[in-house]
Amino acid sequence: MHPSTVSRALHRADLPLRPETRRRVLAAVERLEYRPSAIARGLRLQRTKTLGMLVPDITNPFFPPIIRGAEEAAREHGYELVLCNTDDTAERETASLRLLREHQADGLLIATSRMADTTVAALRRERFPFVLVNRGSHISADLSVEVDNQRAAETVIAHLASLGHRRIAHIAGPLSTTTGAERAAGYRHAMRARGIPADESLLAEADAYAEPSGYTATVQLLRSSPTAIFAANDLLVLGALRAAREARLRVPHDISLVGVNDIPLVELIDPPLTTMRVPQRQMGQLAANMLIAVLEKTPVSRRHIRLDTTLVIRGSTAPPSTAARSVA
């Protein structure tokens, strides 16, 4: 049987073909367990229906819901998602990008966090399709899905100020990241807006979004006697909690703690964590849908999406104690 006849039977139900011929082709396909070659299809169509995704740390609980959302959206459109963990290093990022390009990924979802990013610059030059996830860009042509980081920080400070806190410390994420820089800017703006004096000793930059970094920063901040600490993500807060316990401070009686992301299980720690909830799954879905729209040349209604966060108040925040208030 001629290959074109087989192809018409499998892929073109709209083309004329005798019912008996179509039946024979389908019977042979079932008997031989034939599966179409994705590589051959990709060569023919110059597309593989594959999306690559770069994440900085797969062990960070923040990322799996984003990945899940992106994967669900991709599969709804007949795409598969290939994941690469970069450890947020330029070397691993370059190697992962090379791997994805060699395997002919149609486009990229980039959740790595650095603002000065040679990877993104190279993709722009090559006009290779990509969408930034959980980070923004100063380039208007870049597609991105992120949260309103400054507004999230301002909401946290408003909550703590409403409880009576004035010595509010901030553990910033690395300021080379958009999330770190924007949340720190939101903290400063909200403190000024409420007439709370700026005290540089109450601001510490973490070297990574990780629990040990939060611990190290908190040990430093406790020397300045804050009554509350706002950390740029929940993993940093877990480090702050460990440092507070070592200093024999009770949370929230002696010090209040607030994070960002609402990662799984933070409601089960003692005390349950007050945090800003980020719509991670929705972020992944929107980013994948945006990238697929570009690949399939359909209109993209919004090139830059900023999602709102929600303050979830639990047991780690309370008014400052009388003693702490008198010191402040």
Side-chain angles (χ1 to χ4, degrees):
M1 190 175 296
H2 196 276
S4 65
T5 303
V6 175
S7 179
R8 289 163 63 190
L10 292 177
H11 306 298
R12 297 297 305 272
D14 58 317
L15 294 179
L17 196 67
R18 292 196 311 169
E20 175 59 21
T21 301
R22 191 181 300 276
R23 187 193 65 75
R24 288 171 54 201
V25 169
L26 297 178
V29 165
E30 184 70 22
R31 184 175 67 256
L32 298 173
E33 297 184 353
Y34 166 77
R35 295 293 180 270
S37 168
I39 295 176
R41 185 176 65 243
L43 290 172
R44 185 177 70 253
L45 302 177
Q46 295 188 326
R47 286 170 55 193
T48 61
K49 303 285 278 188
T50 301
L51 307 181
M53 186 169 192
L54 303 179
V55 296
D57 182 7
I58 192 62
T59 65
N60 184 333
F62 175 70
F63 289 104
I66 296 177
I67 296 166
R68 183 62 181 269
E71 184 178 51
E72 289 172 346
R75 288 188 172 175
E76 284 179 9
H77 294 276
Y79 286 76
E80 290 295 331
L81 188 71
V82 177
L83 181 67
C84 289
N85 179 61
T86 70
D87 288 331
D88 219 18
T89 67
E91 295 78 12
R92 287 289 300 272
E93 194 171 282
T94 300
S96 296
L97 178 61
R98 185 184 306 116
L99 175 69
L100 292 169
R101 297 293 297 273
E102 287 174 354
H103 286 74
Q104 297 183 313
D106 295 332
L108 290 177
L109 300 171
I110 303 176
T112 52
S113 55
R114 294 184 308 279
M115 288 187 289
D117 198 325
T118 56
T119 297
V120 174
L123 294 173
R124 287 190 199 108
R125 287 194 302 270
E126 297 172 18
R127 300 180 181 274
F128 190 80
F130 69 89
V131 174
L132 300 175
V133 188
N134 193 43
R135 57 178 288 188
S137 170
H138 300 303
I139 307 299
S140 61
D142 290 346
L143 302 175
S144 63
V145 182
E146 58 179 327
V147 297
D148 193 332
N149 291 301
Q150 184 158 328
R151 184 174 178 183
E154 292 172 354
T155 300
V156 170
I157 301 307
H159 168 62
L160 292 171
S162 72
L163 293 173
H165 292 280
R166 289 182 64 80
R167 291 197 61 77
I168 304 170
H170 178 49
I171 304 175
L175 296 178
S176 60
T177 67
T178 54
T179 51
E182 289 175 359
R183 289 170 192 174
Y187 161 79
R188 291 178 183 276
H189 181 270
M191 296 284 278
R192 286 195 303 269
R194 285 160 182 78
I196 303 176
D199 185 342
E200 290 301 313
S201 69
L202 293 177
L203 178 62
E205 179 185 358
D207 60 4
Y209 279 113
E211 188 271 343
S213 300
Y215 171 84
T216 301
T218 303
V219 170
Q220 170 191 330
L221 290 171
L222 290 179
R223 299 175 190 143
S224 299
S225 303
T227 63
I229 295 177
F230 159 48
N233 83 346
D234 294 340
L235 294 180
L236 294 173
V237 173
L238 296 181
L241 179 60
R242 177 160 65 95
R245 286 173 175 167
E246 287 187 5
R248 300 185 181 278
L249 296 174
R250 296 163 296 173
V251 179
H253 185 269
D254 298 317
I255 190 165
S256 290
L257 301 178
V258 186
V260 179
N261 288 339
D262 197 25
I263 63 175
L265 305 182
V266 292
E267 76 274 17
L268 301 180
I269 65 175
D270 184 22
L273 181 64
T274 296
T275 184
M276 294 298 297
R277 177 175 294 157
V278 171
Q280 296 128 291
R281 199 160 180 162
Q282 182 186 10
M283 190 185 299
Q285 291 170 337
L286 289 170
N289 283 330
M290 188 182 290
L291 180 57
I292 291 167
V294 171
L295 295 173
E296 299 189 349
K297 295 180 172 52
T298 59
V300 177
S301 57
R302 297 165 62 192
R303 300 187 67 84
H304 311 287
I305 297 177
R306 283 201 167 192
L307 301 173
D308 288 329
T309 54
T310 305
L311 179 64
V312 181
I313 300 174
R314 299 192 180 104
S316 67
T317 52
S321 65
T322 304
R325 193 180 295 116
S326 63
V327 171

